[in-house]
């Protein structure tokens, strides 16, 4: 797909999707960078893939199809063989009489169209659909995880009985290879962040964590479990015959279209060994600061502090709150030819070009602290430390920030204000913290409402009561006015609320994808003075609120009003 500025202007600008002033600014930037304006709009999060493909459909006069809204019969789907569909990024989605409708990512590929006509022997109507939409639909070739397993369970049980005493041979048998491959392939297709394989007394439960929530996926018979464990240990180069001690390892899977690393943890439990695998998609696109979900006024604060040449930027929150993703987005902004960026991480979640990334290896003494000391001798301009978890790392980080480096790191605290007392508790002198800290971002992740089944709702009185209990309503209304989200004079009952009703796109959950809610504490002179005087987190929080800081729950409420998430989600993550 190649859209010219003229194409963009007569489609997205003409229909009001893209403001003309934004178009002119991005056109000028695309010209100066000698890049495609469509790719630039997508990279910056200004236009979605769907919007760009809808524009292209107008340009080439090929109808656009939203595959999410299509109910596709299996008989129709399987008209195009799976291998051909995946190779050419095409899908059959509708059949009427002797005609079939085909969605293609490139409807100008005449060679593929002729090949499909010969394969199908039917008249064809070609539609345009985004590649990601087609790939999601191709997942329907899978007939369901439990169905797939039911077809190989019997032969797996036979293999388990035949090799009961030989785990190494069991792990190499095709049925066990197919079981593990099917689990991990489906986890990737479902967008899971973790796989949990949990042995019980008479069965084994496999669960996926999708959008932060664990969901039961399949049940396996207990007799085949030793072979599954052995297969995963083979993949991760762990000891097959060790069942009493925890073990950790890694492996990587590369398929056409994706490359995923798996961080594996095996823990002895009462009924066997529990396995948890963290999925790290190496092909994931790093989000821009705009795509992370910062409010407009907060984004200005973030950009102002990211542009500072030295000091310290901290991102805080519990495990799984997206801290590392935020740091990668910041590094992506800073990643310019004129600077040297070095990191020490555990694990390296994304590979970034032109950034020198080091992996912690505690077993050989390469820790965050020792790695940071070595990085300082590598002539860095910007340093990212995956986590400040002890006094030694904190002290080295502070001194790095003092000596002219911009240091980025994460910290485990519940709020932005709590990060300063936490560093003091680690033994760092308050005046050193005040001299180096530029900004602290606290965050959580909430699930987004599925855009395919979103509906507007009228809030019940119980919901309004819950809101009034959690936030200062006049204050939040003033923030909404300040952020230009609502007009002056609106009341709580006037605000729009939405929910997802559940559809096939979101697995009937009403949610699809996640976004951050944030509070950003900028360390101005007043804040630095409070830190120097060893103020409590409550005192720092109170002072920040007086200066207009938007708290996480307030940011969450803004996202409720703008149709991004729900009250239940905000309360789930902020009250946890």
């Amino acid at each position: 797909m190649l859209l010219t500025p003229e194409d963009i202007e007569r489609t997205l600008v003409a229909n009001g999707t893209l403001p003309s002033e934004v178009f002119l600014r991005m056109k000028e930037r695309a010209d100066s960078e000698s890049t495609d304006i469509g790719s630039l709009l997508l990279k910056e999060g200004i236009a979605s893939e769907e919007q760009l493909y809808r524009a292209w459909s107008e340009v080439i006069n090929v109808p656009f199809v939203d595959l999410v809204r299509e109910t596709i019969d299996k008989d129709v789907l399987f008209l195009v063989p799976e291998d051909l569909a995946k190779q050419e990024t095409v899908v059959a989605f509708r059949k009427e009489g002797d005609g079939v409708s085909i969605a293609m990512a490139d409807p100008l590929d005449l060679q593929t169209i002729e090949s499909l006509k010969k394969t199908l022997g039917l008249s064809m109507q070609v539609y345009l659909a985004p590649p990601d939409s087609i790939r999601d639909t191709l997942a329907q070739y899978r007939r369901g995880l439990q169905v797939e397993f039911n077809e190989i369970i019997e032969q797996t049980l036979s293999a388990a009985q035949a090799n009961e005493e030989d785990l190494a041979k069991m792990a190499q048998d095709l049925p066990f290879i197919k079981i593990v491959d099917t689990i991990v392939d489906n986890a990737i297709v479902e967008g899971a962040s973790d796989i949990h394989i949990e042995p019980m007394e008479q069965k084994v439960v496999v669960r996926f964590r999708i959008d932060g929530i664990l969901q039961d996926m399949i049940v396996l018979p207990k007799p085949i479990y030793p072979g599954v464990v052995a297969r995963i240990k083979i993949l991760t180069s762990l000891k097959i015959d060790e069942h009493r001690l925890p073990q950790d390892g890694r492996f990587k899977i590369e398929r056409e279209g994706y490359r995923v690393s798996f961080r594996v943890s095996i823990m002895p439990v009462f009924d066997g060994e529990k396995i948890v695998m963290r999925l790290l998609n190496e092909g994931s696109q790093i989000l821009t600061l705009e795509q992370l979900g910062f409010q407009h006024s907060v984004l200005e604060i973030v950009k102002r502090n990211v542009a500072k040449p030295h000091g310290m930027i901290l991102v805080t929150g519990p495990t799984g709150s997206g801290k590392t993703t935020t740091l990668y987005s910041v590094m992506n902004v800073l990643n310019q030819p004129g600077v040297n960026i070095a990191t020490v991480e555990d694990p390296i979640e994304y590979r970034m070009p032109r950034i020198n990334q080091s992996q912690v290896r505690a077993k050989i003494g390469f820790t965050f602290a020792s790695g940071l000391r070595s990085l300082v001798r590598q002539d860095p301009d910007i340093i990212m430390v995956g986590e400040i978890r002890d006094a030694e790392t904190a002290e080295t980080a502070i001194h790095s920030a003092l000596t002219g480096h911009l240091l980025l790191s994460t910290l485990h605290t519940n709020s932005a204000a709590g990060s300063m007392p936490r560093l003091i508790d680690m033994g760092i002198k308050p005046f050193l913290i005040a001299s180096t800290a530029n900004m602290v971002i606290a965050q959580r992740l909430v699930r987004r409402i599925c855009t395919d089944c979103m509906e507007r709702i009228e809030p019940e009185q119980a919901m309004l009561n819950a809101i009034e209990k959690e936030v200062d309503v006049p204050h939040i209304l003033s923030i909404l006015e300040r952020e230009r989200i609502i007009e002056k004079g609106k009341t709580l009952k006037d605000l729009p609320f939405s929910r997802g009703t559940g559809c096939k796109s979101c697995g009937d959950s009403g949610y699809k994808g996640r976004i951050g809610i944030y509070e950003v504490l900028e360390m101005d002179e007043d804040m630095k003075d409070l830190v120097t005087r060893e103020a409590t987190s409550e005192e720092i929080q109170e002072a920040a609120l007086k200066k207009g800081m938007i708290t996480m729950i307030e940011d969450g409420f803004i996202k409720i009003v703008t149709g991004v998430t729900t009250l239940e989600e905000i309360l789930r993550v902020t009250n946890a």
Side-chain angles (χ1 to χ4, degrees), residues 261-496:
S261 292
F262 291 78
R263 189 176 65 188
V264 181
S265 172
I266 301 180
M267 172 73 70
V269 294
F270 187 80
D271 289 305
E273 294 174 90
K274 178 182 175 179
I275 300 173
V276 175
M277 295 187 277
R278 168 64 57 88
L279 283 70
L280 304 171
N281 190 344
E282 296 184 3
S284 293
Q285 182 181 5
I286 295 172
L287 300 177
T288 64
L289 292 176
E290 287 81 3
Q291 290 171 324
L292 287 176
F294 290 108
Q295 302 303 332
H296 176 72
S297 61
V298 177
L299 184 61
E300 294 303 313
I301 297 173
V302 173
K303 287 182 174 180
R304 182 165 65 240
N305 284 277
V306 165
K308 292 181 178 179
H310 54 78
M312 185 165 61
I313 294 174
L314 295 175
V315 183
T316 78
T319 301
S321 60
K323 301 186 296 296
T324 304
T325 299
T326 299
L327 286 185
Y328 274 102
S329 297
V330 170
M331 284 196 294
N332 198 39
V333 173
L334 297 170
N335 191 9
Q336 304 295 329
V339 298
N340 176 23
I341 303 177
T343 78
V344 54
E345 308 173 54
D346 184 27
I348 297 173
E349 295 192 16
Y350 305 96
R351 294 290 300 277
M352 297 186 70
R354 302 181 65 92
I355 291 182
N356 307 289
Q357 297 173 268
S358 301
Q359 169 68 50
V360 165
R361 290 182 172 85
K363 290 182 179 178
I364 59 172
F366 185 45
T367 62
F368 282 121
S370 63
L372 180 52
R373 286 195 298 271
S374 298
L375 286 187
V376 174
R377 296 190 287 272
Q378 289 279 310
D379 185 34
D381 300 292
I382 299 161
I383 299 171
M384 193 276 266
V385 184
E387 183 183 349
I388 296 176
R389 61 173 64 160
D390 54 54
E392 185 181 8
T393 307
E395 186 175 352
T396 310
I398 290 286
H399 284 291
S400 300
L402 276 172
T403 52
H405 305 98
L406 180 62
L407 186 127
L408 315 173
S409 192
T410 70
L411 199 63
H412 281 284
T413 61
N414 291 327
S415 66
S419 58
M420 302 297 118
R422 174 75 179 121
L423 289 172
I424 293 173
D425 289 343
M426 287 183 177
I428 306 301
K429 301 293 184 185
F431 75 91
L432 291 176
I433 301 171
S435 302
T436 55
N438 294 341
M439 173 180 65
V440 183
I441 302 171
Q443 65 180 78
R444 302 286 189 279
L445 289 179
V446 296
R447 291 182 292 171
R448 288 176 174 268
I449 298 173
C450 174
T451 54
D452 293 308
C453 60
M454 180 191 292
E455 68 172 13
R456 176 80 177 270
I457 61 170
E458 292 295 328
E460 298 177 356
Q461 189 58 46
M463 182 179 181
L464 298 176
N465 294 341
I467 293 170
E468 291 174 344
K469 181 180 177 182
E470 294 294 334
V471 297
D472 180 346
V473 173
H475 178 63
I476 195 69
L477 290 173
S478 68
I479 292 175
L480 292 169
E481 291 172 12
R482 187 179 76 199
E483 296 290 323
R484 299 179 182 177
I485 294 169
I486 63 170
E487 298 175 359
K488 193 171 183 178
K490 295 289 184 180
T491 66
L492 184 59
K493 290 184 178 180
D494 298 325
L495 302 183

Side-chain angles (χ1 to χ4, degrees), residues 557-576:
F557 194 81
I558 294 171
K559 290 180 169 69
I560 293 170
V561 173
T562 51
V564 175
T565 190
T566 64
L567 178 65
E568 291 79 8
E569 267 299 286
I570 300 302
L571 296 181
R572 180 179 69 84
V573 301
T574 58
N575 291 342

Side-chain angles (χ1 to χ4, degrees), residues 25-34 40 43-44:
R25 187 172 72 247
M26 298 307 292
K27 179 178 181 297
E28 182 179 342
R29 182 176 161 187
D31 291 340
S32 66
E33 296 178 5
S34 300
L40 189 59
K43 176 185 174 184
E44 294 298 328

Side-chain angles (χ1 to χ4, degrees), residues 485-558:
I485 294 169
I486 63 170
E487 298 175 359
K488 193 171 183 178
K490 295 289 184 180
T491 66
L492 184 59
K493 290 184 178 180
D494 298 325
L495 302 183
F497 295 90
S498 304
R499 70 174 179 187
T501 57
C503 64
K504 70 173 185 177
S505 177
C506 60
D508 291 321
S509 68
Y511 298 97
K512 188 174 183 181
R514 291 192 289 176
I515 193 170
I517 56 172
Y518 306 92
E519 60 185 34
V520 175
L521 176 64
E522 187 171 28
M523 297 300 294
D524 60 12
E525 291 306 316
D526 293 335
M527 291 298 167
K528 291 176 185 286
D529 182 57
L530 285 171
V531 173
T532 303
R533 293 192 283 109
E534 299 189 40
T536 65
S537 58
E538 289 78 13
E539 291 171 327
I540 295 173
Q541 178 85 355
E542 184 179 350
L545 292 175
K546 288 180 179 177
K547 288 178 172 288
M549 182 182 78
I550 298 175
T551 66
M552 270 187 290
I553 195 164
E554 289 169 347
D555 185 34
F557 194 81
I558 294 171

